[in-house]
Amino acid sequence: MNKKISFTILTGLLLLGMSVPAFAAAGPIDLTSSVPGMIALVVFVFAYVLVMGEEKLHLRKSKPVLVAAGIIWALVGWVYVQQGMTGLPEEAFRHTLLEYSELMLFLLVAMTYINALEERRVFDALRAWMVQRGFSYRTLFWMTGFLAFFISPIADNLTTALLMCAVVMKVAEGDKRFVNLCCINIVIAANAGGAFSPFGDITTLMVWQAGLVRFDEFFALFIPALVNYGLPAAIMSFFVENRKPEPSDEVVELKRGARRILALFLLTIATAVACHTLLHLPPVLGMMAGLGYLQFFGYFLRMTLPGSLAKKRTQAELAGDKERMKRLGSVVPFDVFSRVARAEWDTLLFFYGIIMCVGGLGFMGYLAMMSDILFTQWDPTYANIVLGLVSAVIDNIPVMFAVLTMEPDMSHGHWLLITLTAGVGGSLLSVGSAAGVALMGQARGVYTFFGHLKWAPVIMLGYIASVLVHLWLNKAMFSVY
């Protein structure tokens, strides 16, 4: 599996939060029309252009936003020093940094668990099981799509998309048309599935972290998300040949403790939810406790490894299984910290840069100005729909963080609407979501920007339908604040 498999884990997973959002609000000095403000805006736009060109430039996405964040806050600090108001930028910076710190620790634990499951071969076993069954192309198309839709709420949309893409490429190697169509289907399904769970995407995680939507309220988006995936998938399925690929006899043996680590992961999620729901504490507390669960289990695996290996070697000798004997000879102890080290640090640093950039621009007054245009002069429904379309070009993370920083006075229905649109809007373009960008790298030359673009009208139908279903099905929530 690609190293990017841990990106965003979460990029699926869970962080809830504070009863009152602590994002940096606009400062007392309006810098939107000043020279430092203009420079900061240009720096951010230029940095984001470099981020969007990551695949072409081979420049890690964290580098430009880290520098941009430093420049933006340096400009803020310089202006306030000139005005003799040195304490305010520091306080605003610390507020934003606190939000990032909780998010970073939460994602780090989630990434560690996903990496542990990958190392224990859980994902390889799922892929091998699907390949062995010899499903038809049409069945594989629907199966990978539905699995992406239902796995992404737990394992995050990027991880799920990479796993399903690996299955498709293994089964249909050489059939570029089918692989491209399946990749589009997987991206749509993974993004849609990630929209109705706090664990499915960074944007849902951020909304939950801000305490704006309860854990159970996200599930009101299940049917709109299913419509968002199902409608374009139904249309695309008519263009899939109903033939069978060659079956495979690949056998994948799970490593010791794989199922128990999966159980500990679910227990960790339950602990994080309980921390917020029952104890009114930040969920990151539960996630860090969950890291402790994994460390204790890793200790157990190391201490019992010699006895386990001796038993398995005896069984292999009696069965005359030389291949298994060879595998057992290369077994190394499970190491939790090696899983921590394999976390996608570029992604974590990218989140820092984006959050600090948006926080700095918000303190300068840009987000207050945007909020006035979008949520005062416009109807919030139209504003949230447009922001969802914007997320197809600009990553949904800065879009959602900007909305949270603006803190518009919206109903629960509107907060769920922006969660839905920001999550699924990225499916319109291959570069609109982390899942799409990752698959372009994994299926390079097969799944392409233009290959995805020609299906954009069909995907747009799913986007419009999901919004209309949410407005109709959850209309009672638009009056709840």
Side-chain angles (χ1 to χ4, degrees):
M1 296 284 284
N2 192 305
K3 183 183 177 183
K4 289 183 179 180
I5 191 169
S6 61
F7 173 62
T8 296
I9 257 37
L10 136 141
T11 134
L13 263 56
L14 180 95
L15 178 60
L16 171 52
M18 328 263 301
S19 57
V20 179
F23 302 104
I29 304 176
D30 184 2
L31 300 178
T32 56
S33 58
S34 67
V35 172
M38 296 293 182
I39 293 174
L41 197 59
V42 170
V43 166
F44 177 70
V45 171
F46 180 68
Y48 209 82
V49 168
L50 293 179
V51 169
M52 293 172 67
E54 178 189 14
E55 292 295 318
K56 294 290 184 183
L57 299 174
H58 303 290
L59 176 72
R60 288 190 176 272
K61 58 187 172 293
S62 62
K63 295 178 181 179
V65 292
L66 286 173
V67 174
I71 293 173
I72 289 170
W73 279 100
L75 289 168
V76 170
W78 180 77
V79 171
Y80 276 77
V81 165
Q82 300 300 309
Q83 299 297 323
M85 304 166 69
T86 54
L88 293 176
E90 180 184 1
E91 183 181 351
F93 182 87
R94 289 184 186 277
H95 271 298
T96 310
L97 183 62
L98 175 63
E99 292 298 323
Y100 166 74
S101 300
E102 291 190 16
L103 179 65
M104 186 273 286
L105 290 174
F106 196 99
L107 292 174
L108 183 62
V109 176
M111 288 177 176
T112 301
Y113 264 104
I114 295 297
N115 285 337
L117 291 171
E118 180 193 1
E119 189 269 341
R120 296 285 100 176
R121 308 198 72 187
V122 171
F123 299 132
D124 289 338
L126 175 61
R127 185 192 67 228
W129 177 84
M130 293 181 68
V131 171
Q132 288 169 8
R133 294 305 180 272
F135 295 120
S136 71
Y137 275 12
R138 189 164 292 170
T139 301
L140 186 66
F141 175 87
W142 281 109
M143 183 170 286
T144 53
F146 272 111
L147 282 173
F149 183 83
F150 286 105
I151 294 175
S152 61
I154 300 172
D156 111 14
N157 50 7
L158 176 63
T159 303
T160 305
L162 288 169
L163 171 62
M164 293 299 107
C165 181
V167 173
V168 170
M169 293 185 68
K170 180 76 175 179
V171 176
E173 187 175 3
D175 193 333
K176 294 185 177 181
R177 184 176 177 275
F178 175 71
V179 172
N180 179 69
L181 203 59
C182 267
C183 284
I184 298 169
N185 184 53
I186 289 167
V187 169
I188 299 169
N191 288 337
F196 69 88
S197 165
F199 324 122
D201 196 358
I202 293 299
T203 52
T204 56
L205 178 64
M206 293 166 78
V207 173
W208 190 36
Q209 174 189 356
L212 296 164
V213 178
R214 294 195 317 268
F215 178 83
D216 58 296
E217 289 177 328
F218 281 96
F219 297 108
L221 294 176
F222 173 76
I223 294 179
L226 185 60
V227 170
N228 179 269
Y229 160 64
L231 181 58
I235 296 172
M236 289 190 294
S237 67
F238 288 109
F239 296 85
V240 177
E241 295 181 50
N242 196 22
R243 62 187 182 89
K244 287 188 176 183
E246 291 295 324
S248 170
D249 58 355
E250 180 187 11
V251 177
V252 174
E253 182 181 355
L254 289 175
K255 291 186 179 180
R256 181 168 166 259
R259 295 179 181 86
R260 283 171 284 181
I261 290 176
L262 180 59
L264 287 176
F265 188 26
L266 297 176
L267 178 62
T268 297
I269 292 173
T271 304
V273 172
C275 278
H276 174 72
T277 305
L278 302 178
L279 305 177
H280 301 284
L281 292 170
V284 67
L285 175 66
M287 290 299 285
M288 293 302 291
L291 182 60
Y293 304 160
L294 186 60
Q295 287 181 306
F296 269 110
F297 185 64
Y299 172 78
F300 168 78
L301 288 178
R302 289 196 304 276
M303 292 298 101
T304 57
L305 180 63
S308 175
L309 283 178
K311 182 179 177 180
K312 289 179 179 179
R313 285 194 184 104
T314 301
Q315 293 173 344
E317 285 176 2
L318 292 174
D321 191 341
K322 294 182 179 180
E323 185 63 29
R324 193 180 185 201
M325 286 285 294
K326 183 179 179 180
R327 288 200 305 271
L328 291 173
S330 62
V331 170
V332 295
F334 178 78
D335 182 7
V336 172
F337 289 105
S338 70
R339 302 301 100 200
V340 174
R342 289 196 62 201
E344 185 51 69
W345 288 97
D346 179 56
T347 297
L348 294 173
L349 293 175
F350 168 73
F351 290 156
Y352 166 84
I354 283 293
I355 288 173
M356 300 315 294
C357 281
V358 174
L361 293 173
F363 192 70
M364 286 181 163
Y366 282 108
L367 297 183
M369 181 174 68
M370 230 171 117
S371 179
D372 179 64
I373 295 172
L374 289 175
F375 296 102
T376 302
Q377 299 180 31
W378 289 19
D379 183 281
T381 301
Y382 298 132
N384 290 331
I385 292 172
V386 169
L387 286 172
L389 297 175
V390 169
S391 70
V393 180
I394 300 176
D395 191 84
N396 57 4
I397 295 167
V399 170
M400 182 58 79
F401 188 76
V403 174
L404 290 170
T405 308
M406 294 180 221
E407 297 182 51
D409 184 19
M410 297 194 300
S411 66
H412 270 43
H414 283 113
W415 279 113
L416 286 173
L417 178 60
I418 184 60
T419 301
L420 174 68
T421 57
V424 304
S427 300
L428 290 164
L429 298 177
S430 63
V431 296
S433 66
V437 171
L439 293 202
M440 282 197 298
Q442 190 177 22
R444 190 179 302 277
V446 180
Y447 171 59
T448 63
F449 176 84
F450 290 104
H452 188 112
L453 184 63
K454 71 178 183 180
W455 291 98
V458 173
I459 302 170
M460 177 63 82
L461 287 177
Y463 179 83
I464 294 170
S466 64
V467 170
L468 292 176
V469 168
H470 172 60
L471 294 175
W472 169 67
L473 198 63
N474 301 314
K475 59 183 178 183
M477 303 184 77
F478 285 84
S479 59
V480 179
Y481 284 81

